[in-house]
Amino acid sequence: MNVLLDVAQLAVRYPGQETDAVSGVSFRLAAGQCVAFVGETGSGKTSSVMASVGLLETADVRAERLQLEGQSLLHSSPLQLRLMRRRALGVVFQDPTASWNPTRRISAQLLETTPRAARAAARERLIALCDRVGITAPGDRVDRYPHQLSGGQLQRFMIAGALLHDPRIMVADEPTSALDASVQLELIALLDELRRERDLGLLLVSHDLHVVARLADTIVVMFRGKVVEQGPAAEVTGSPTHPYTTSLLAASIGMTGPRKVPLATNVAWDPEIVLGSSPVGGS
Ligand SMILES: Nc1ncnc2c1ncn2[C@@H]1O[C@H](COP(=O)(O)OP(=O)(O)O)[C@@H](O)[C@H]1O
Ligand SMILES: [Mg+2]
């Protein structure tokens, strides 16, 4: 088993706080597998996942072990971290409108860190990836501005951009929460296909247990910053041991009905990872 991410007893504390926002998070992510974090808004899913891949530079992150492809993230310099992340990670964030700079074309945003000399080739690769993720007429659409595209299309572009550097790990933090139910279903299926095709490790965040049950190998259920239940997806959803998991299952109606759980909001993030080196908006 090719372990991409190995996390033991992870804890996160935000500046100025006296308690940990998250503690006791442990999991492994192997190539071709999906680990999903579920829980209501504020339970610590984003903090856990982003800290696990070295993306929470502003918080105090502690762990017994925190390894990305065998390299510890705990004692690496910011520059080393950035290089490791860029090589290993593709990231898809929750809110497609907040993740894009409204004043710049999609292609410019996705290719801005590519050296000028390599840009034409990268653009070709990007267009092929856009085609793969279900964008029709990608050669034309890739030069549009964000407001000219739907939320679902923007998320597809973000997925294509995340694949541009051939990541081994795809991080998707509530990638479909802001979208219509039918588009959600398509995008979740797409992420699953890409995982299989590319042997990606998929780190997925959702507040909907039924959604992740379809594709996760392991489910981590979070409540108030702690892991309350963790195990194979079939076990967690089939015979939950914690009452909170049961209530999450009851609150979740999967892809078909309206959402009863309020949408989570984006937290601060390092946009460089998705699209290159300079901010493209975000919170
Ligand atoms: N940048 C931040 N500064 C201070 N507290 C934060 C920050 N981001 C998140 N938190 C707090 O950490 C806890 C977990 O938040 P988060 O990881 O965003 O949960 P989730 O993704 O499950 O909604 C919450 O109490 C939230 O208020
Ligand atoms: Mg979140």
Side-chain angles (χ1 to χ4, degrees), residues 140-152:
D140 161 46
R141 285 220 167 92
V142 78
D143 290 322
R144 293 195 189 168
Y145 291 92
H147 73 267
Q148 298 174 306
L149 299 157
S150 70

Side-chain angles (χ1 to χ4, degrees), residues 157-177:
F157 274 118
M158 202 183 286
I159 293 170
L163 292 173
L164 197 55
H165 300 291
D166 269 325
R168 267 84 66 193
I169 299 174
M170 178 77 104
V171 181
D173 187 356
E174 309 220 33
T176 64
S177 295

Side-chain angles (χ1 to χ4, degrees), residues 51-105:
S52 296
V53 294
L55 272 170
L56 274 191
E57 281 180 357
T58 55
D60 176 27
V61 175
R62 292 147 16 241
E64 277 177 24
R65 192 167 56 249
L66 185 53
Q67 292 190 336
L68 177 65
E69 298 192 298
Q71 278 187 283
S72 177
L73 294 176
L74 292 171
H75 310 292
S76 305
S77 71
L79 180 64
Q80 282 173 320
L81 273 180
R82 206 156 289 174
L83 289 173
M84 283 157 72
R85 289 186 317 224
R86 184 170 301 173
R87 276 203 313 267
L89 296 184
V91 187
V92 178
F93 295 95
Q94 176 179 356
D95 181 354
T97 50
S99 305
W100 295 94
N101 180 338
T103 68
R104 303 188 62 208
R105 296 176 197 275

Side-chain angles (χ1 to χ4, degrees), residues 12-15 17 20-22 38-49 56 58-59 94 173-174 205-206 222 224-225 264-268:
V12 173
R13 185 173 298 194
Y14 287 100
Q17 304 291 311
D20 293 336
V22 156
V38 296
E40 65 199 351
T41 299
S43 58
K45 307 179 297 294
T46 297
S47 302
S48 301
V49 163
L56 274 191
T58 55
Q94 176 179 356
D173 187 356
E174 309 220 33
V205 171
S206 175
M222 298 211 60
R224 295 190 183 162
T265 50
N266 273 349
V267 297

